[in-house]
Amino acid sequence: MGSTQIHNHDNNNEYPDSAIEQVRDEDLKGDMIKDDGANINVLADGGNVDNFNTTGVHIIEHEKSAFVGMSRWQAIKVFWKPTLFCYMCAFSVVMNGYQDSLPGGLLANIGFVNQFGTIPDGEGGVALDAQHISVWSGVAYVAQFVGCLAGGTISDRFGRKAGMYALTLGYGLGIIVEMVSKTWKHWLAAKLFTGLGGGLAQGTILSYMNEIAPAQIRGYLLSTYGASYAVGQLFIAIALQIVETTDPSGYLKAVYSEWVVLGPWILMMLILPESPWHYARQGKEELTKKALLKIYGGISGYDENREYAVMVKEIEKEKETRNTNKETSWKDILIGPNLKRTFADVVALAMQNWVGGSVVFNYTTYFFQQAGIPEPFQANVIVYCILIGANIISFYLVERTGRRTLILYGGAASAVLCVIIGTMGVIDQTTQTQNATLAVICMWVVIYALCFAGTGWLVAGEISTPRLRAKTASFVAATNAIAGTIYNTTVPLMLGTDGAGARGWGLKTLYMFAILSAAGTALCYWLVPETKGRTFNELDEMYEAGIPPRNMKKHISKIEEAGLKVHV
């Protein structure tokens, strides 16, 4: 939903003041210019062409979006339908958070331990083997890696809806296998399917939301990705607390509850239309217009023919930029400026793991149990309630403060808090120290929710160039899954006390993540740009011009130089 944007940075000509004033007077704010060395080439509606006669201004007739100058609040009111569709998409992420957090929560459930435990606990019962926990997590994240790559390929070739059907199938098969599992190997097979479903979701949903979200509220809507994941984590924490209170041995009740989340998503998925950008890139004009009307139809002044023309011109520009009409390939995301953009995406999202998320969230109840915190299931619910509340606040901060600022300050704060939590594992454990530990962990959760929960995915969706968005999102999610495989096969061994390879570090595990937090923050300082208030074309311009990411926030783009856009 943006205006047609053309830019060229090979020239730095000075233009007559009258030319600039003429452009400003005609209220063309938001449109880009093309510097061809002789004129300011302004993209304008045909009806405005006759108004321009100033030397130095050359008009290029085009179709531009009728909504390019709309404010953020206007966009929320007008584009209620695409906003609703984005919320529906986010519900699949609720399922992702639910399934990802279920295994870690069940590790402290007596019924689950009795069913899948294989090591005598010395008291006549059994305990879970830390190596089995490690393998469960490792297989899930390997499957997630495969799903991430498959999601990008399926979405590009067959459409975003096909990716949605695939991720739903993965979720459903995973739940069914969980329901019939009797041994730890059966549970391993279940993690294969649920991991695949989660990977397909990460490789599909973010691209879809990027393509249907109005530009004015894109940051807000993409932030719901992380918030939805947290909602899923909260739901499973509540479900586990109910099971623990009513039937401690009935772990299957928590498994059955997954259908309560997956069912509504299936209904929503059937309602969601295909992304019009998928059809447009295939040259299917009629299908594109039908999809546009399903998403934006009913809006006063909306003209699908005009908006389709805008899409066609933007697609043509993408092809011109690469000087090719062939399909994109995976190597494109690792060539030239795109390599920097892809690496920045990877680092920004990796901060979720580096600050300790793989310890606190993937094994929340188990972590609390190993830390000696009383009532670990109740503490689990408290943590996720805090996570949701702080996540809601982050919707405002991400647009007000900026993405890069939150990541840098959050990384530094997380490093300090990880050191404090790790130190709690060294001192003698008393009721006072346990309460203090829980308080510091809650502070860590607030920082995580404000700075990383939604920001990582948001930045991963914004930095990449539009033409490579699906493949970049899939690659970033896949690398995140690889990292998750490493962390989630080692963290259970660090926390665990039973089985070969168990280290029993408990809270001291956070010392390692304090180092990762500090190192990750340094990388983000050099690699991650501030994307707040920037169009995709401005980011293209700055990366092509070789502007260091740390300086992009202050850089004045061509459109800002011409006075057609106010520098934020």
Side-chain angles (χ1 to χ4, degrees):
M1 295 299 298
S3 62
T4 305
Q5 299 180 345
I6 298 178
H7 55 87
N8 184 322
H9 326 105
D10 294 335
N11 304 287
N12 293 306
N13 288 18
E14 301 249 342
Y15 299 101
D17 290 341
S18 58
I20 300 297
E21 291 303 321
Q22 176 75 23
V23 173
R24 290 173 175 162
D25 290 345
E26 294 302 329
D27 193 24
L28 289 174
K29 295 183 184 298
D31 284 14
M32 292 294 286
I33 62 171
K34 179 180 179 181
D35 173 0
D36 65 4
N39 299 292
I40 298 179
N41 292 339
V42 180
L43 300 177
D45 287 328
N48 292 335
V49 173
D50 294 337
N51 296 334
F52 286 86
N53 52 19
T54 303
T55 302
V57 177
H58 176 232
I59 302 305
I60 301 174
E61 295 186 50
H62 79 306
E63 291 283 350
K64 72 172 183 178
S65 171
F67 306 96
V68 65
M70 187 175 290
S71 70
R72 188 175 297 127
W73 285 111
Q74 287 174 323
I76 291 176
K77 294 178 181 178
V78 172
F79 294 113
W80 64 269
K81 191 186 292 186
T83 299
L84 179 61
F85 286 152
C86 283
Y87 285 146
M88 289 182 178
C89 283
F91 207 84
S92 70
V93 187
V94 173
M95 188 65 208
N96 194 3
Y98 202 91
Q99 285 195 332
D100 280 359
S101 298
L102 173 65
L106 287 177
L107 296 180
N109 179 275
I110 186 62
F112 184 85
V113 173
N114 290 337
Q115 179 66 54
F116 298 103
T118 57
I119 298 177
D121 64 358
E123 299 178 359
V126 293
L128 294 170
D129 190 324
Q131 286 191 331
H132 292 171
I133 300 173
S134 174
V135 172
W136 289 336
S137 300
V139 166
Y141 274 87
V142 168
Q144 189 177 108
F145 168 75
V146 174
C148 289
L149 295 181
T153 301
I154 293 171
S155 295
D156 276 349
R157 181 167 297 183
F158 303 108
R160 309 318 190 208
K161 287 279 287 188
M164 294 179 190
Y165 289 127
L167 69 90
T168 305
L169 179 62
Y171 284 151
L173 290 175
I175 298 173
I176 292 172
V177 177
E178 285 176 347
M179 291 168 57
V180 300
S181 293
K182 299 300 181 183
T183 70
W184 73 270
K185 292 181 180 179
H186 295 160
W187 192 258
L188 181 66
K191 296 307 97 187
L192 178 66
F193 287 115
T194 57
L196 186 63
L200 288 166
Q202 294 175 17
T204 302
I205 297 301
L206 201 62
S207 295
Y208 182 86
M209 293 175 69
N210 250 303
E211 290 176 341
I212 70 169
Q216 296 89 339
I217 52 175
R218 186 182 66 233
Y220 159 69
L221 291 176
L222 292 185
S223 293
T224 62
Y225 191 99
S228 300
Y229 190 90
V231 169
Q233 293 173 308
L234 173 61
F235 283 175
I236 190 58
I238 294 173
L240 289 170
Q241 173 63 19
I242 293 174
V243 170
E244 181 69 14
T245 303
T246 60
D247 186 8
S249 298
Y251 76 93
L252 279 175
K253 292 181 180 179
V255 174
Y256 297 149
S257 70
E258 293 179 271
W259 292 111
V260 178
V261 181
L262 185 61
W265 158 245
I266 293 175
L267 297 177
M268 295 177 187
M269 177 190 63
L270 296 175
I271 296 172
L272 290 170
E274 179 58 84
S275 167
W277 283 96
H278 171 68
Y279 288 137
R281 287 192 170 92
Q282 293 184 331
K284 298 178 179 179
E285 180 176 351
E286 291 304 315
L287 289 176
T288 303
K289 291 179 180 178
K290 287 182 180 179
L292 286 172
L293 288 176
K294 286 181 180 179
I295 299 173
Y296 307 105
I299 296 175
S300 177
Y302 188 85
D303 182 352
E304 71 275 15
N305 295 311
R306 181 176 188 171
E307 300 301 327
Y308 176 72
V310 172
M311 296 172 70
V312 169
K313 286 189 175 292
E314 291 194 11
I315 292 171
E316 288 174 352
K317 179 190 175 296
E318 291 174 5
K319 293 178 179 179
E320 284 179 18
T321 301
R322 297 298 303 170
N323 194 28
T324 180
N325 290 325
K326 63 182 179 181
E327 286 188 15
T328 61
S329 65
W330 286 101
K331 69 178 182 180
D332 290 338
I333 67 176
L334 301 174
I335 294 176
N338 289 324
L339 175 60
K340 296 179 181 179
R341 301 173 83 156
T342 301
F343 195 32
D345 284 336
V346 169
V347 170
L349 188 57
M351 287 296 289
Q352 293 185 342
N353 277 316
W354 289 345
V355 298
S358 54
V359 178
V360 178
F361 294 124
N362 291 4
Y363 300 96
T364 311
T365 307
Y366 186 56
F367 173 61
F368 287 158
Q369 187 182 59
Q370 297 300 313
I373 294 176
E375 301 295 341
F377 286 99
Q378 289 183 11
N380 194 20
V381 174
I382 292 172
V383 161
Y384 285 116
C385 285
I386 294 173
L387 180 65
I388 296 296
N391 238 308
I392 294 173
I393 298 174
S394 75
F395 294 168
Y396 170 78
L397 289 180
V398 76
E399 294 291 358
R400 180 70 176 180
T401 306
R403 290 72 152 146
R404 173 183 164 88
T405 302
L406 288 176
I407 290 175
L408 294 182
Y409 280 99
S414 296
V416 173
L417 291 175
C418 283
V419 170
I420 296 174
I421 296 171
T423 304
M424 294 292 187
V426 178
I427 62 179
D428 293 335
Q429 293 297 302
T430 65
T431 301
Q432 289 75 17
T433 58
Q434 289 171 351
N435 290 336
T437 299
L438 181 58
V440 177
I441 291 174
C442 288
M443 291 173 60
W444 179 95
V445 171
V446 171
I447 296 298
Y448 179 91
L450 294 178
C451 304
F452 303 108
T455 306
W457 288 108
L458 170 58
V459 172
E462 288 184 327
I463 295 179
S464 60
T465 190
R467 189 179 67 92
L468 301 173
R469 183 179 298 131
K471 283 187 170 60
T472 304
S474 295
F475 179 82
V476 171
T479 55
N480 193 54
I482 293 175
T485 303
I486 296 172
Y487 298 128
N488 287 279
T489 52
T490 56
V491 166
L493 299 176
M494 297 176 191
L495 295 175
T497 56
D498 300 297
R503 294 291 181 264
W505 291 352
L507 292 174
K508 293 188 289 293
T509 304
L510 271 298
Y511 280 138
M512 183 185 78
F513 288 94
I515 297 172
L516 290 174
S517 296
T521 303
L523 282 174
C524 287
Y525 175 81
W526 294 102
L527 296 173
V528 177
E530 180 55 74
T531 57
K532 184 189 75 169
R534 294 293 191 182
T535 65
F536 291 128
N537 290 75
E538 284 181 292
L539 290 172
D540 285 344
E541 172 189 328
M542 290 186 287
Y543 272 104
E544 291 290 341
I547 306 299
R550 67 183 183 279
N551 295 335
M552 287 185 181
K553 182 176 182 179
K554 298 180 180 180
H555 180 75
I556 306 298
S557 65
K558 289 288 185 180
I559 184 177
E560 292 168 335
E561 286 180 353
L564 302 180
K565 176 186 173 184
V566 176
H567 182 74
V568 179

